[in-house]
Amino acid sequence: MVVPAPQPFARANLTVYFPHDSTLLTPLQRQRLRDFWQTHSQKAGSLQIMGHADDTGNATHNDSLAEQRAWAVVAWLRPNLSDRHRLQIGGQGDRQPVHADPAFNRRVELTFVERLEPKAGN
């Protein structure tokens, strides 16, 4: 039996949601971001921040709105970012719906990938 080598990274995900046609983070979503970032801010790694929109409105508007949502999250995190955090920021417009209810598609998905240091003796 072959045992796979341990992965040199750990992944954590968070999705925050936005009101219709808005880039404002509600108090609940800010708290969720705060909790997530308190856990990961001292770790070295990459953070992907990808904005999304529902399918109300035209594609150009939704693309712009999705990217603006991603940048709203970056602006909120900015005081706590350092050079040990590599960022990837973007927007998918309405091209990646996750639910029939549009409220679940008005979101930003964060993925933090932490680089794990090999333990001595491995």
Side-chain angles (χ1 to χ4, degrees), residues 10 14 18 26-27 29 32 36 40 42 57 65-67 77-78 83 101 104 109 111 113-115 119 122:
L14 174 70
F18 290 81
T26 65
Q29 300 308 315
R32 295 179 70 236
F36 177 80
H40 303 291
Q42 299 304 313
L65 180 60
E67 191 163 324
L77 291 173
R78 188 174 308 267
D83 58 359
D101 182 341
F104 289 99
E109 296 173 339
T111 302
V113 179
E114 176 188 4
R115 291 179 201 225
K119 293 183 180 177
N122 287 347

Side-chain angles (χ1 to χ4, degrees), residues 12-13 35-44 85 112 114:
N13 299 298
D35 293 346
F36 177 80
W37 199 238
Q38 282 178 345
T39 303
H40 303 291
S41 64
Q42 299 304 313
K43 302 171 184 176
H85 303 122
F112 184 78
E114 176 188 4

Side-chain angles (χ1 to χ4, degrees), residues 26-82:
T26 65
L28 173 62
Q29 300 308 315
R30 287 194 305 267
Q31 182 61 50
R32 295 179 70 236
L33 263 176
R34 185 176 300 113
D35 293 346
F36 177 80
W37 199 238
Q38 282 178 345
T39 303
H40 303 291
S41 64
Q42 299 304 313
K43 302 171 184 176
S46 65
L47 180 62
Q48 181 183 52
I49 302 172
M50 190 61 60
H52 299 270
D54 64 25
D55 63 356
T56 59
N58 66 52
T60 301
H61 175 73
N62 290 340
D63 287 346
S64 175
L65 180 60
E67 191 163 324
Q68 289 173 33
R69 286 176 172 158
W71 282 103
V73 169
V74 171
W76 192 90
L77 291 173
R78 188 174 308 267
N80 298 305
L81 293 172
S82 73

